[in-house]
Structures are given as C-alpha cells and as structure tokens.
C-alpha cells in the first residue's frame, strides 16, 4: 500500500509487516522498523525471488541517534559540501 510522499520525490509504502518504507532505486529500500525494542532506519539491498522482493545481506541499520547525526549533517549542508569538493576534485583530473 502507498501513502503520500510529501513533496512527491518517493511515495511512502507499507510492507506486509506494517513497516513504512520507500524505494531507493535500483534495488534498495529504506525501511523504518522496530527490532529488539529499538526503532531502526534500515537501508538494504533487495532481490527478486519469483514474484517476491526479499531483503539481502547488504545493508545498514541505523539507530535513531545515528540517523539524527546523519540527518543533521545532511540538513546543515556538510554532506553536500563534501560531495561538491569530491566532484570538483574529480573534474580537475
């Protein structure tokens, strides 16, 4: 099932376990889930088996605290600045 994705970039979906997720094409998914009493932001590769999409071993689960650190570095422009430096360096080669 799908819900409104806010600004329309990626629609939010709900999986068979009731967990909210969105696609990170190709073949990746970001799922917000509860596991072992913790809320996790899980970014993982998925693969097709028949008509099912199943989670692969490659991925990372961030605690809310880890996610907040990353979010803050994205929102304040730090990540974009570093990316721009690297892209600029690549253009100079």
């Amino acid at each position: 099932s799908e819900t409104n994705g806010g600004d329309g970039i990626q629609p939010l979906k709900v999986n068979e376990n009731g967990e909210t997720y969105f696609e990170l094409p190709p073949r990746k998914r970001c799922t917000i889930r509860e596991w072992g009493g913790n809320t996790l932001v899980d970014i993982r590769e998925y693969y097709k088996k028949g008509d099912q999409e199943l989670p692969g071993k490659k991925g990372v689960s961030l605690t809310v605290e880890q996610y907040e650190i990353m979010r803050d570095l994205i929102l304040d422009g730090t990540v974009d600045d570093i990316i721009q430096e690297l892209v600029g360096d690549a253009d100079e080669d």
Side-chain angles (χ1 to χ4, degrees):
S1 112
E2 291 189 18
T3 60
N4 184 354
D7 58 10
I9 293 174
Q10 276 294 336
L12 297 178
K13 299 178 181 181
V14 178
N15 66 19
E16 60 280 352
N17 298 322
E19 300 165 331
T20 301
Y21 73 94
F22 57 92
E23 303 288 341
L24 294 168
R27 297 187 333 258
K28 290 183 180 62
R29 184 184 288 186
C30 180
T31 305
I32 315 306
R33 66 172 38 125
E34 293 287 326
W35 182 259
N38 295 308
T39 300
L40 299 173
V41 177
D42 186 57
I43 302 170
R44 188 155 308 280
E45 284 191 353
Y46 275 68
Y47 66 95
K48 279 200 163 274
K49 184 175 183 181
D51 61 348
Q52 289 186 307
E53 286 194 29
L54 301 171
K57 293 180 181 180
K58 290 184 181 180
V60 62
S61 292
L62 302 175
T63 64
V64 171
E65 182 180 356
Q66 292 167 330
Y67 162 77
E68 288 172 347
I69 292 168
M70 187 175 75
R71 178 200 61 200
D72 291 347
L73 290 169
I74 292 169
L75 289 176
D76 77 3
T78 300
V79 172
D80 285 340
D81 291 346
I82 295 168
I83 291 170
Q84 191 55 48
E85 285 178 24
L86 293 172
V87 168
D89 289 348
D91 290 342
E92 294 171 9
D93 289 344

